[in-house]
């Protein structure tokens, strides 16, 4: 998918200045010909978001939603907003396509995938708020410290089952001190998911909420000694699942 996005980005280069100019001409003339030019100028922007958020088989539907977003931007944009048209249109196009994705994507996504997708969205939105151009897949990956193919694979989640995702693609670009690499986080989360409910709750209380064994025992309704024995079995199982 990431190669497909990169290839089409070369073929359809985003040209925000050209889009801004064609919109300004249309605002002055109101002619159908100038409106058609706006739609042509916005094609690359629409296809960028469609490729990012929707898989191949759904991209054309996503593109149609993107054009609806562009038309909405054209009708609602006001220069008094203090932002360029391309920035405003990006929000509208992205919003329509993401709405389509939420409605059509059929598979559940694990929490860590949802968080990564949110980070992708936030990276794009923060760039737009600063008045910068829409970031490329490479720039998003660099910002999140995740390899490009991992970002592309994450955006497929929801459209396909977790079993169909290639989890080996989720890797950090660079090592960061005191931070667990994303590939190790995935491995750990998969191992925790294999524990029984009581063991999962114990892990959450002790390591995510930083509780003492005494406090965890109160919540679980068992003794501190039982917590200690349960923790020993839990860690043993985790090591077995990870290895």
């Amino acid at each position: 998918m990431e190669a497909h996005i990169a290839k089409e980005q070369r073929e359809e280069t985003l040209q925000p200045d050209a889009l801004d100019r064609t919109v300004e001409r249309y605002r002055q003339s109101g002619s159908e010909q100038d409106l058609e030019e706006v739609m042509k100028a916005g094609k690359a922007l629409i296809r960028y978001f469609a490729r990012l958020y929707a898989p191949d088989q759904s991209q054309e539907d996503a593109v149609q939603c993107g054009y609806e977003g562009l038309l909405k931007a054209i009708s609602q944009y006001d220069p008094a907003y203090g932002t360029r048209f391309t920035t405003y249109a990006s929000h509208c196009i992205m919003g329509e396509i993401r709405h389509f994705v939420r409605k059509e994507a059929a598979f559940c996504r694990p929490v860590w995938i949802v968080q990564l997708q949110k980070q992708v969205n936030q990276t794009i939105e923060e760039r737009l708020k600063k008045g910068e151009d829409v970031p490329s897949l490479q720039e998003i990956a660099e910002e999140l410290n995740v390899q490009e193919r991992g970002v592309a694979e994450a955006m497929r989640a929801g459209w396909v089952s977790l079993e169909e995702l290639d989890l080996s693609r989720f890797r950090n670009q660079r090592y960061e001190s005191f931070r667990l690499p994303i590939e190790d986080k995935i491995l750990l989360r998969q191992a925790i998911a294999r524990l029984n409910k009581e063991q999962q709750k114990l892990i959450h209380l002790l390591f995510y909420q930083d509780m003492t064994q005494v406090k965890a025992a109160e919540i679980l309704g068992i003794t501190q000694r039982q917590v200690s024995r349960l923790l020993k079995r839990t860690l043993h199982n985790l090591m077995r699942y990870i290895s």
Side-chain angles (χ1 to χ4, degrees):
M1 178 180 174
E2 69 276 8
H4 179 62
I5 292 177
K7 177 177 180 292
E8 294 211 12
Q9 278 182 335
R10 290 193 296 270
E11 294 174 353
E12 294 182 350
T13 305
L14 298 179
Q15 297 180 318
D17 291 338
L19 180 56
D20 289 340
R21 287 195 300 270
T22 55
V23 167
E24 183 58 31
R25 282 200 302 271
Y26 171 69
R27 286 174 57 83
Q28 293 175 5
S29 70
S31 71
E32 290 188 10
Q33 182 178 352
D34 283 337
L35 177 59
E36 185 175 339
E37 290 301 314
V38 174
M39 303 305 280
K40 289 179 181 178
K43 179 182 177 181
L45 189 63
I46 290 169
R47 288 202 169 274
Y48 168 79
F49 285 116
R51 288 192 299 267
L52 181 63
Y53 286 104
D56 292 345
Q57 67 271 23
S58 299
Q59 275 183 23
E60 286 310 310
D61 290 332
V63 166
Q64 292 305 312
C65 292
Y67 276 114
E68 291 176 14
L70 179 57
L71 287 171
K72 182 184 294 185
I74 293 169
S75 65
Q76 297 180 355
Y77 175 69
D78 186 338
Y81 293 155
T83 184
R84 65 192 300 182
F85 174 78
T86 299
T87 300
Y88 182 77
S90 294
H91 283 292
C92 294
I93 293 167
M94 184 167 59
E96 289 296 323
I97 291 177
R98 282 165 59 178
H99 176 72
F100 164 74
V101 169
R102 286 193 296 269
K103 185 174 65 174
E104 296 296 326
F107 292 93
C108 294
R109 300 163 297 163
V111 173
W112 65 270
I113 282 278
V114 173
Q115 291 174 340
L116 184 53
Q117 290 178 338
K118 284 182 178 178
Q119 288 177 319
V120 171
N121 296 336
Q122 289 169 355
T123 299
I124 296 172
E125 289 167 357
E126 286 173 5
R127 290 286 189 97
L128 294 176
K129 285 179 182 177
K130 294 176 183 177
E132 300 176 4
D133 293 338
V134 176
S136 66
L137 183 66
Q138 180 181 356
E139 290 171 329
I140 293 172
E142 179 67 26
E143 178 75 19
L144 300 182
N145 188 24
V146 178
Q147 292 184 3
E148 285 185 50
R149 59 183 187 173
V151 174
E153 197 71 3
M155 302 312 288
R156 294 180 63 224
W159 293 99
V160 299
S161 66
L162 183 61
E163 290 73 21
E164 293 179 73
L165 294 179
D166 184 356
L167 298 182
S168 67
R169 294 184 168 212
F170 294 93
R171 295 187 176 278
N172 285 131
Q173 291 191 16
R174 58 190 178 277
Y175 173 76
E176 294 180 341
S177 299
F178 305 108
R179 297 194 68 177
L180 197 64
I182 189 171
E183 55 268 30
D184 291 342
K185 289 180 182 178
I186 294 171
L187 189 63
L188 179 59
R189 284 165 176 155
Q190 287 178 312
I192 291 174
R194 296 178 64 182
L195 299 172
N196 63 40
K197 296 298 182 182
E198 186 180 39
Q199 291 173 333
Q200 288 183 24
K201 188 168 185 178
L202 180 63
I203 289 292
H204 181 74
L205 294 175
L206 295 181
F207 299 105
Y208 287 83
Q209 295 192 13
D210 199 26
M211 289 187 183
T212 64
Q213 289 191 15
V214 173
K215 184 64 176 178
E218 291 178 8
I219 293 175
L220 294 174
I222 58 179
T223 67
Q224 187 272 329
R225 180 173 293 183
Q226 288 174 312
V227 165
S228 181
R229 289 199 295 265
L230 178 60
L231 177 60
K232 185 176 180 179
R233 291 197 304 272
T234 300
L235 294 178
H236 174 76
N237 287 340
L238 274 179
M239 292 298 295
R240 184 160 54 88
Y241 296 149
I242 289 174
S243 60

